[in-house]
């Protein structure tokens, strides 16, 4: 045990000393730490300016019909904790149609580890990145023999976040969880005490204009006069406004021109009031672990898709990364057929699962670490750890329990029973990835997934070779990059493979006066207004659509008239002028690669000697 502790310290010291590359992301105890979760947070190791992307082009792993699934009653504590880790699948575009009822996605890295702060957020999704992903070439090669990792790994990669405010070095990252998530919303009594991010945003907008004004008339507003102007703005203009927001905003505005200038320089009223939140570089080095040690590139391994590559050199024994893990149980991954039925007492629909027929396992199982003899598994949350590929002979790293955590030690955790583990706070289990060979910057980091995994994979590959492969949306989408989509399809003449349907990005407004506002079927007619560029594409605007007519605009590009349930209404509307680039193809629920019958599912085996004996509840 002692030896492992020494390794960690040596490892960290070495990693820190040899670094030429600055570490952009640190994992450390969250500023919001209380005696239970959330325990970890991510901190900026460099300055991120507004709109800079974060180093997290991660995978999104869809959890299909999981949230309302049968596990909520078996594992209520875990399911509740997972809510704060999972995103609604709107953020991963077509992933929202993987399931019949609900699709949520798990996005390791920033997507899980960045916390929520009611008063502040400084990072947000680049909604378009997941639509602009470049599939590995081998995946899209037309061939009757499928690439084996299709259906075994997530096709929703390139999930990217960006800074939504200037983030100084040492600041913790707080994600915009979206307004619907806020558990405090609509509780006025709580909001009386609590400053919200809307208050800070409001104060920032006013402060910016005050600062611009004070800067412009700097010469003329020195001394008393400047103070008086600020006072006038705060008290005489904002003062008479009653209500909680006006009061909150006024309380957030600094009282002197000098302080207004300082607060503006620092990046806003939140950072100005909470300067203790910004940690020093020494604090990061002492208390944190650099988790900016891997990057994603096409793997050097055949059949593996993408892989994790070292962004710096490591010596034998160095810690490459540290990953808090999500604790789950194997049966939570089981999938069952389900349907919506009317509940007995009222109109409300409920989802009924047929627990007698297991139809498969969630894809997330392939990213989990576990042991054949135990029902417990752990999902990694640190950046790019989920991308580490397997090599049973030439692996250069291994996974072990970490001693980094100063709250729940490895010994304490692994001494607990399986039952206790179920109730311990999520992310208490922490893994470290340790180099077993010298690793040079640019080397692919490979671990040994274990003999059981290898056996299962070889068996799966042999079986897959014998099956024919159904074409998916991804296979046909390329074909229609320039070619017009067919319109007004008669049943039986659908040119797409089974299961492939059209979806459209739609923002729309009422048609101009003078044009018909409803069609012969009494459906509202709307004019398409966007999104017009790749960068504006957003999963929230993506809806299933039927193409009914095609036209050509003045630039010679195809446009379509489509029928769709436009966001905000539940009615089908007719939308005109939809650009070719706003039409895409997607797979119907339960027909994409990850749902292929017999798709590969196996956890990564944790080394026998490292897996506690008393957790082996499945030993026969
Ligand atoms: C950041 O990006 C958004 C959306 O693309 C844009 O509206 C905004 O002007 C950008 N802000 C800065 C400071 O570049
Ligand atoms: C990720 O998205 C960006 C655009 O948002 C794109 O330029 C890049 O090629 C994508 N990367 C991959 C690997 O798909
Ligand atoms: C500021 O004051 C100076 C003289 O004190 C005057 O010349 C100048 O016009 C003033 N500037 C503005 C913008 O009023
Ligand atoms: C999903 O819904 C379709 C259509 O209602 C149904 O046929 C199918 O069995 C459902 N699949 C699952 C796994 O529930």
């Amino acid at each position: 045990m002692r030896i492992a502790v020494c390794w960690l310290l040596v490892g960290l010291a070495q990693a820190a000393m040899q670094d030429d590359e600055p570490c952009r992301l640190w994992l450390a105890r969250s500023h919001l730490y209380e005696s239970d979760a959330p325990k970890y947070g991510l901190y900026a190791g460099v300055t991120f300016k507004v709109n800079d992307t974060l180093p997290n082009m991660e995978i999104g792993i869809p959890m299909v019909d999981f949230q309302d699934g049968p596990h909520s009653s078996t594992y209520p504590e875990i399911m509740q904790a997972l809510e704060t880790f999972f995103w609604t699948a709107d953020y991963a575009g077509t992933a929202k149609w993987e399931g019949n009822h609900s699709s949520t996605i798990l996005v390791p890295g920033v997507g899980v580890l960045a916390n929520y702060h009611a008063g502040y957020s400084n990072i947000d999704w680049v909604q378009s990145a997941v639509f602009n992903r470049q599939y590995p070439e081998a995946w899209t090669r037309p061939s009757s023999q499928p690439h084996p990792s299709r259906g075994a790994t997530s096709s929703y990669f390139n999930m990217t976040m960006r800074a939504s405010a200037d983030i100084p070095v040492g600041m913790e990252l707080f994600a915009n969880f979206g307004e619907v998530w806020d558990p405090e919303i609509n509780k006025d009594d709580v909001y009386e005490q609590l400053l919200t991010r809307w208050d800070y945003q409001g104060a920032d907008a006013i402060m910016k204009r005050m600062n611009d004004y004070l800067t412009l008339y700097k010469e003329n507003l020195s001394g008393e006069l400047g103070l008086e102007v600020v006072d006038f703005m705060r008290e005489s203009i904002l003062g008479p406004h009653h209500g909680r927001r006006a009061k909150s905003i006024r309380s957030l505005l600094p009282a002197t021109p000098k302080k207004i200038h300082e607060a503006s320089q620092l990046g806003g009223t939140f950072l100005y009031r909470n300067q203790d939140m910004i940690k020093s570089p020494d604090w990061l080095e002492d208390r944190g672990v650099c988790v900016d040690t891997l990057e994603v590139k096409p793997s050097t391994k055949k059949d593996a898709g993408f892989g994790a590559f070292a962004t710096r050199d490591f010596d034998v024994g160095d810690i490459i990364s540290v990953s808090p893990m999500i604790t789950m149980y194997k049966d939570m991954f089981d999938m069952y057929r389900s349907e919506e039925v009317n509940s007995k007492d009222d109109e409300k629909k409920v989802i009924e699962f047929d627990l007698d027929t297991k139809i498969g396992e969630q894809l997330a199982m392939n990213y989990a670490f576990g042991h054949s003899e135990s029902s417990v598994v752990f999902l990694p949350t640190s950046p790019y750890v989920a991308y580490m590929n397997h090599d049973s002979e030439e692996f250069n790293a291994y996974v072990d329990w970490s001693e980094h955590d100063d709250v729940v030690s490895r010994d304490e955790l692994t001494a607990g029973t399986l039952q206790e583990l179920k109730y311990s706070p999520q992310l208490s289990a922490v893994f470290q990835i340790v180099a077993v060979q010298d690793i040079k910057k640019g080397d692919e980091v490979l671990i040994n997934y274990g003999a059981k995994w290898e056996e299962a994979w070889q068996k799966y590959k042999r079986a897959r070779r014998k099956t024919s492969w159904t074409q998916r949306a991804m296979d046909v989408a390329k074909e229609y990059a320039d070619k017009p989509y067919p319109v007004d399809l008669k049943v039986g003449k659908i040119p797409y493979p089974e299961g492939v349907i059209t979806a459209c990005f739609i923002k729309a407004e009422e048609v101009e006066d003078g044009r018909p506002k409803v069609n012969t079927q009494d459906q509202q007619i709307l004019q398409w207004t966007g999104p017009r560029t790749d960068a504006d594409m957003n999963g929230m605007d993506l809806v299933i659509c039927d193409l009914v007519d095609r036209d050509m605009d003045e630039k010679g590009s195809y446009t379509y008239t489509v029928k769709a349930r436009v966001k905000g209404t539940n009615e089908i509307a007719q939308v005109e002028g939809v650009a070719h680039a706003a039409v895409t193809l997607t797979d119907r629920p339960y027909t994409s690669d990850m749902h292929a019958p017999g798709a590969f599912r196996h956890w990564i085996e944790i080394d026998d000697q490292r897996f506690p004996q008393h957790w082996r509840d499945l030993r026969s």
Side-chain angles (χ1 to χ4, degrees):
M1 294 299 157
R2 287 283 100 194
I3 291 170
V5 174
C6 290
W7 262 11
L8 173 78
L9 298 176
V10 171
L12 286 179
Q14 284 182 349
M17 275 188 298
Q18 61 174 227
D19 285 349
D20 313 318
E21 303 273 329
C23 176
R24 294 169 295 174
L25 278 184
W26 293 83
L27 176 75
R29 185 194 263 227
S30 170
H31 190 85
L32 303 177
Y33 174 82
E34 288 166 21
S35 58
D36 52 6
K39 196 153 53 167
Y40 297 97
L42 287 174
Y43 289 82
V46 295
T47 304
F48 291 100
K49 291 278 174 206
V50 177
N51 289 353
D52 282 353
T53 52
L54 293 160
N56 77 313
M57 280 65 98
E58 275 288 352
I59 35 169
I61 310 169
M63 301 294 291
V64 176
D65 291 337
F66 178 75
Q67 216 69 5
D68 321 297
H71 317 297
S72 313
S73 50
T74 343
Y75 299 99
E77 294 79 13
I78 295 182
M79 290 301 288
Q80 203 186 343
L82 293 183
E83 260 178 44
T84 63
F85 299 147
F86 288 9
W87 295 84
T88 64
D90 273 339
Y91 293 100
T94 58
K96 63 182 159 186
W97 295 302
E98 290 291 1
N100 274 351
H101 314 290
S102 72
S103 304
T104 43
I105 41 162
L106 177 71
V107 188
V110 183
V112 173
L113 291 174
N115 288 308
Y116 172 79
H117 190 292
Y120 184 66
S121 73
N122 51 17
I123 58 170
D124 206 349
W125 291 104
V126 178
Q127 298 268 354
S128 60
V130 74
F131 296 111
N132 297 326
R133 61 196 192 272
Q134 314 294 318
Y135 291 110
E137 200 229 302
W139 279 25
T140 51
R141 212 172 21 207
S143 148
S144 58
Q145 270 192 18
H147 190 269
S149 69
R150 280 183 63 172
T153 58
S154 174
S155 63
Y156 300 99
F157 48 89
N158 215 18
M159 301 276 309
T160 307
M161 281 189 159
R162 66 179 184 102
S164 56
D166 288 346
I167 308 175
V169 177
M171 183 63 197
E172 185 168 350
L173 304 182
F174 293 111
N176 179 4
F177 275 28
E179 291 171 21
V180 280
W181 187 81
D182 197 331
E184 307 291 356
I185 215 152
N186 295 332
K187 287 193 199 157
D188 285 343
D189 51 334
V190 173
Y191 268 29
E192 284 296 332
Q193 331 301 331
L194 202 70
L195 290 166
T196 68
R197 72 190 120 115
W198 297 286
D199 297 325
Y200 285 105
Q201 277 165 13
D204 281 349
I206 293 173
M207 188 176 73
K208 181 177 184 309
R209 298 176 74 164
M210 286 168 83
N211 190 49
D212 288 351
Y213 181 86
L214 291 165
T215 309
L216 187 64
Y217 297 108
K218 202 169 158 196
E219 258 96 85
N220 310 54
L221 294 175
S222 60
E224 279 298 308
L225 193 55
L227 279 174
E228 236 171 77
V229 167
V230 171
D231 210 44
F232 171 73
M233 290 172 174
R234 290 177 78 226
E235 303 305 325
S236 305
I237 299 184
L238 268 170
H241 292 279
H242 296 289
R244 197 196 55 74
R245 282 214 66 200
K247 270 195 259 171
S248 305
I249 289 177
R250 188 153 50 109
S251 76
L252 290 175
L253 288 173
T256 69
K258 186 159 169 273
K259 286 181 180 167
I260 285 180
H261 185 66
E262 275 170 25
S264 305
Q265 290 285 311
L266 209 62
T269 48
F270 181 86
L271 288 179
Y272 184 67
R273 278 173 69 102
N274 297 282
Q275 289 179 47
D276 59 321
M277 266 194 162
I278 302 171
K279 307 296 184 196
S280 68
D282 285 346
W283 188 92
L284 292 177
E285 294 264 354
D286 285 354
R287 308 292 303 274
V289 184
C290 177
V291 288
D292 180 26
T293 52
L294 299 171
E295 66 181 332
V296 170
K297 288 193 286 194
S299 175
T300 56
K301 299 275 120 193
K302 190 170 174 287
D303 298 339
F306 291 104
F309 291 76
T311 59
R312 50 206 81 206
D313 296 347
F314 295 98
D315 295 335
V316 179
D318 280 353
I319 312 283
I320 299 168
S321 193
V322 166
S323 180
M325 308 295 278
I326 296 172
T327 303
M328 287 176 69
Y329 291 82
K330 285 177 184 163
D331 59 356
M332 297 181 82
F333 295 78
D334 292 348
M335 294 162 77
Y336 302 96
R337 213 167 290 292
S338 64
E339 59 180 334
E340 272 182 33
V341 294
N342 288 318
S343 68
K344 288 183 199 86
D345 38 348
D346 53 32
E347 319 275 84
K348 247 182 87 193
K349 300 257 184 200
V350 292
I351 302 165
E352 258 180 24
F353 289 84
D354 173 12
L355 298 183
D356 294 331
T357 344
K358 177 173 155 181
I359 56 167
E361 281 167 19
Q362 302 279 355
L363 175 62
M365 183 62 104
N366 291 354
Y367 297 93
F369 289 76
H371 192 279
S372 304
E373 295 178 342
S374 177
S375 58
V376 70
V377 289
F378 302 95
L379 279 171
T381 65
S382 259
Y384 300 142
V385 165
Y387 278 100
M388 288 189 308
N389 285 320
H390 159 77
D391 193 314
S392 57
E393 273 145 32
E394 291 175 4
F395 61 93
N396 51 16
Y398 69 92
V399 163
D400 198 358
W401 306 96
S402 169
E403 277 289 348
H404 172 262
D405 186 4
D406 52 356
V407 185
V408 179
S409 77
R410 156 173 64 186
D411 296 348
E412 214 178 296
L413 178 88
T414 55
T417 65
L418 264 194
Q419 199 58 18
E420 281 164 356
L421 197 59
K422 209 190 263 186
Y423 301 106
S424 68
Q426 276 295 342
L427 308 186
S428 296
V430 183
F431 283 16
Q432 61 189 22
I433 295 101
V434 186
V436 273
Q437 279 176 27
D438 289 351
I439 295 176
K440 291 266 160 272
K441 177 178 170 173
D443 287 353
E444 181 165 6
V445 175
L446 298 163
I447 57 173
N448 184 357
Y449 285 8
K452 293 250 165 40
W453 182 94
E454 171 95 41
E455 201 180 298
W457 178 247
Q458 294 305 341
K459 190 172 152 211
Y460 163 78
K461 277 212 302 190
R462 283 195 299 274
R464 160 110 337 156
R465 253 182 242 130
K466 295 192 195 106
T467 60
S468 66
W469 187 249
T470 316
Q471 295 259 297
R472 316 278 180 201
M474 173 173 104
D475 302 296
V476 264
K478 265 188 169 175
E479 227 182 280
Y480 289 96
D482 302 310
K483 191 170 106 175
Y485 290 98
V487 291
D488 197 15
L489 299 176
K490 302 275 181 298
V491 178
K493 292 183 81 179
I494 296 170
Y496 312 124
E498 209 187 321
V500 175
I501 48 176
T502 41
C504 302
F505 290 94
I506 296 182
K507 283 191 172 77
E509 60 185 26
E510 281 189 19
V511 292
E512 302 158 15
D513 286 341
R515 288 172 57 195
K517 306 240 176 209
V518 291
N519 65 14
T520 52
Q521 289 148 292
D522 216 25
Q523 293 164 331
Q524 196 182 7
I525 303 178
L526 298 169
Q527 177 63 42
W528 182 82
T529 58
R532 292 186 188 276
T533 64
D534 281 357
D536 288 335
M537 285 181 178
N538 183 326
M540 311 283 170
D541 298 326
L542 192 59
V543 291
I544 299 291
C545 59
D546 282 331
L547 313 188
V548 293
D549 203 0
R550 186 175 63 229
D551 212 339
M552 201 173 257
D553 66 14
E554 52 291 356
K555 290 191 204 116
S557 311
Y558 300 111
T559 63
Y560 302 86
T561 298
V562 312
K563 299 270 181 90
R565 272 180 226 280
V566 178
K567 202 176 69 177
T569 105
N570 212 19
E571 307 281 312
I572 300 230
Q574 174 170 325
V575 185
E576 302 192 328
V578 179
H580 184 80
V583 181
T584 185
L585 294 170
T586 185
D587 300 296
R588 260 181 224 288
Y590 289 97
T591 64
S592 75
D593 284 337
M594 62 181 253
H595 299 287
F600 180 75
R601 293 293 180 267
H602 205 284
W603 58 89
I604 299 165
E605 194 87 349
I606 297 171
D607 222 36
D608 209 41
Q609 76 209 47
R610 296 196 175 84
F611 198 88
Q613 292 292 336
H614 59 283
W615 287 357
R616 305 190 186 194
D617 57 334
L618 303 182
R619 187 155 33 191
S620 47

